[in-house]
Amino acid sequence: SAAPAPTAPAAPAAETETPAVSSTLAVEAPKETAVVLCGTSDWPQGAKGASGKAAQKRDGARGDEFNAPVVINSLKGIRVLSLAVGPCAGHMLALTESGMYAWGLNASGQLGLGPSGGWCMPGPTPAPLWNVDGDRAVSAAVGNKHTLVVYASGTVLSAGCGDRGALGYGEKEKDLPLTQDTPKAVVAGGNVEGGLKAVCVAAGCDYSLAADGNGKMYAWGWTEHGKLGLGTDGQYNMKDSSVKITFSIEGEPKVVALPDDDAGKVVQVSAGKHHSACLTNEGFGYTWGDNGYGKLGHRDQKERHSPTKLPMTRFSTLLCGDASSCGLGWPDYPGRPFGAQLNDGLVYHWGVLKGSNGEGATHPVPNYEIQGWTIDKHCFAMGATHVALAGEGSAVAWAQSPVAFGQLGLGPDAPKSTHTAKQMEGLADVGLVCAQVVASSGQTHLLCDAATVAKLPTWDPPTEALTKPPEKVRAPPKKKAKT
């Protein structure tokens, strides 16, 4: 599919339709692809961030760590069409011409490998249960313990942990499985007319988002923080006589309304751990959910339970991390016409920018360190606490909170973490051609033209599944002496 069209001139002819400011993400893969990895192949600990690194130091790592980019050798010769991972994910997917591949944690069946799938697959593993006769997977989203895949027909399949409704199977107890290892269709939902026909999806910690071809948005899963955007956080007392609070489950897709009539059609959805964002074809961005550190971008730290518009900026892409958000976009000054734009815009970021005790912002601010770069929105990614992008024959990354798994790819002799955008090692001088960048908690992956990364080192992932480590028996708490 074509790259997003630029905006039209300020005064188009009356009979001319104004091209969209933004459009649904659609990766254009090279004819011969290579998948490049920076970071850890220890998915169980990489998904935990700082606590996972501490566990590695205590118990040892169950995988390799790459502080500089390497090519995943087991995908050589397979044309990868797109990659899917997320800021709170411990697993990922590759959509290829020969079917789906999945790897990482699988404790809840989120890889969709069926009953025979292992606890964790350290490298790309064929996942044929995602392959549907007569239909084609076009995109995917990866949450903490669940996976969503969109097909050309608009059908969405899901697998993984559904006890909080994130799989979208329905409202009954049987529809809320703790483990679902075989992909199954998301139901239409009671207020979804004509069935859910999605064009894009997003997966958060325990909830899901989608948008259809008409620009309508949907949400389902756990309602805490109001991250579904349905106007409530679903909080209630567990019993009439109890002060213990819990939250409700929306087990099937519900329509999420935008507050503005002129917002346009939703063309992108994004899910962080507990906050959400969407983008319309007019370039308007909306955020809602948890607002710790001001990551919603509204100059405060107040939760929003419904989509709230980001003022004075339009976007070509909008992404959620853990304690931060970011996007590519342009200034949109009140009272001035929004004119034609080139490329996909400047880098904006907000929330935690330089550690939770360091510099931050409660509204979108430009990152002037990489001003002037021409960046394709498909090559711009946000992990839990870092950002990575590719453009102009190179790739750069930086951390918003300290990272420790080598996911910035700065090289074995460079610091593992920096708040300043720096080039990844070995990519600047090879004429890099990159089609997509994705990021998670402990990794960065790039989908590249194979010829341009042919000189990089390669990595052969293990093919045997990792077994779940034994549960540690905790000593009972010591009794306090009576006073």
Side-chain angles (χ1 to χ4, degrees):
S1 61
T7 57
E15 66 275 4
T16 302
E17 183 179 349
T18 304
V21 175
S22 191
S23 59
T24 304
L25 294 168
V27 178
E28 294 184 355
K31 289 184 178 180
E32 295 185 1
T33 60
V35 177
V36 173
L37 161 67
C38 308
T40 182
S41 65
D42 183 354
W43 284 94
Q45 301 303 350
K48 298 177 184 177
S51 64
K53 193 64 180 179
Q56 281 187 343
K57 292 178 179 179
R58 184 183 65 244
D59 304 325
R62 302 186 72 187
D64 299 307
E65 184 169 294
F66 301 103
N67 297 294
V70 297
V71 173
I72 300 178
N73 218 18
S74 58
L75 290 172
K76 186 177 180 180
I78 299 170
R79 187 175 182 230
V80 177
L81 302 176
S82 65
L83 302 170
V85 76
C88 58
H91 66 292
M92 70 178 293
L93 266 62
L95 286 67
T96 83
E97 281 193 335
S98 55
M100 191 75 73
Y101 284 74
W103 62 105
L105 279 167
N106 191 39
S108 300
Q110 57 262 52
L111 299 187
L113 300 177
S116 61
W119 177 73
C120 179
M121 303 304 298
T125 304
L129 295 180
W130 293 106
N131 304 332
V132 177
D133 289 341
D135 212 343
R136 175 175 55 88
V138 294
S139 67
V142 177
N144 181 235
K145 295 180 181 179
H146 74 291
T147 305
L148 307 170
V149 176
V150 181
Y151 293 80
S153 64
T155 297
V156 180
L157 299 188
S158 63
C161 181
D163 63 336
R164 292 184 169 184
L167 299 183
Y169 295 160
E171 305 282 357
K172 298 179 181 179
E173 187 174 350
K174 69 178 180 61
D175 302 321
L176 305 172
L178 190 62
T179 298
Q180 176 70 28
D181 54 34
T182 302
K184 182 179 169 183
V186 173
V187 300
N191 66 346
V192 181
E193 295 181 7
L196 178 62
K197 300 296 182 183
V199 296
C200 60
V201 287
C205 181
D206 45 19
Y207 70 107
S208 304
L209 304 171
D212 64 18
N214 295 319
K216 282 188 176 181
M217 181 167 54
Y218 308 88
W220 60 96
W222 191 241
T223 59
E224 186 179 8
H225 301 296
K227 57 198 176 190
L228 301 189
L230 300 175
T232 177
D233 65 356
Q235 184 179 145
Y236 67 94
N237 290 340
M238 294 185 71
K239 295 180 180 179
D240 290 341
S241 59
S242 172
V243 294
K244 191 172 182 179
I245 297 296
T246 190
F247 299 89
S248 58
I249 293 171
E250 295 291 349
E252 56 189 37
K254 297 290 190 297
V255 174
V256 182
L258 295 183
D260 307 304
D261 294 335
D262 61 348
K265 299 178 179 179
V266 174
V267 293
Q268 183 188 346
V269 287
S270 180
K273 191 173 183 180
H274 295 299
H275 76 293
S276 308
C278 75
L279 180 64
T280 75
N281 62 334
E282 297 293 337
F284 297 125
Y286 294 80
T287 58
W288 61 97
D290 177 39
N291 196 20
Y293 301 103
K295 60 190 171 189
L296 296 185
H298 302 299
R299 297 180 182 268
D300 58 33
Q301 296 191 60
K302 179 184 176 183
E303 271 188 7
R304 301 298 197 282
H305 298 162
S306 300
T308 305
K309 188 176 180 180
L310 289 164
M312 299 182 66
T313 313
R314 295 208 202 189
F315 297 93
S316 65
T317 189
L318 199 54
L319 305 174
C320 298
D322 188 348
S324 313
S325 305
C326 66
L328 295 176
W330 316 270
D332 186 14
Y333 300 109
R336 298 187 192 179
F338 183 73
Q341 305 297 330
L342 296 174
N343 306 313
D344 284 340
L346 297 169
V347 173
Y348 285 84
H349 55 181
W350 57 100
V352 172
L353 302 183
K354 294 186 177 181
S356 57
N357 296 318
E359 180 183 331
T362 59
H363 65 283
V365 295
N367 185 340
Y368 291 113
E369 292 175 357
I370 46 177
Q371 186 176 10
W373 271 52
T374 300
I375 306 164
D376 184 297
K377 65 183 182 179
H378 303 88
C379 297
F380 180 67
M382 184 172 220
T385 56
H386 77 288
V387 178
L389 61 88
E392 299 189 2
S394 185
V396 301
W398 67 96
Q400 293 156 321
S401 289
V403 297
F405 292 105
Q407 58 264 59
L408 303 187
L410 305 182
D413 300 324
K416 289 187 178 181
S417 189
T418 175
H419 298 309
T420 303
K422 294 186 180 296
Q423 288 189 339
M424 293 183 180
E425 186 177 85
L427 298 179
D429 302 322
V430 297
L432 177 70
V433 174
C434 184
Q436 186 188 18
V437 180
V438 295
S440 48
S441 179
Q443 302 86 9
T444 303
H445 288 82
L446 298 86
L447 177 59
C448 303
D449 185 298
T452 66
V453 293
K455 294 182 180 180
L456 289 183
T458 59
W459 172 58
D460 292 293
T463 55
E464 294 293 323
L466 298 180
T467 56
K468 184 178 180 179
E471 297 287 344
K472 291 188 176 181
V473 179
R474 296 186 178 183
K478 294 181 180 180
K479 293 183 179 179
K480 293 183 179 180
K482 294 182 178 179
T483 56

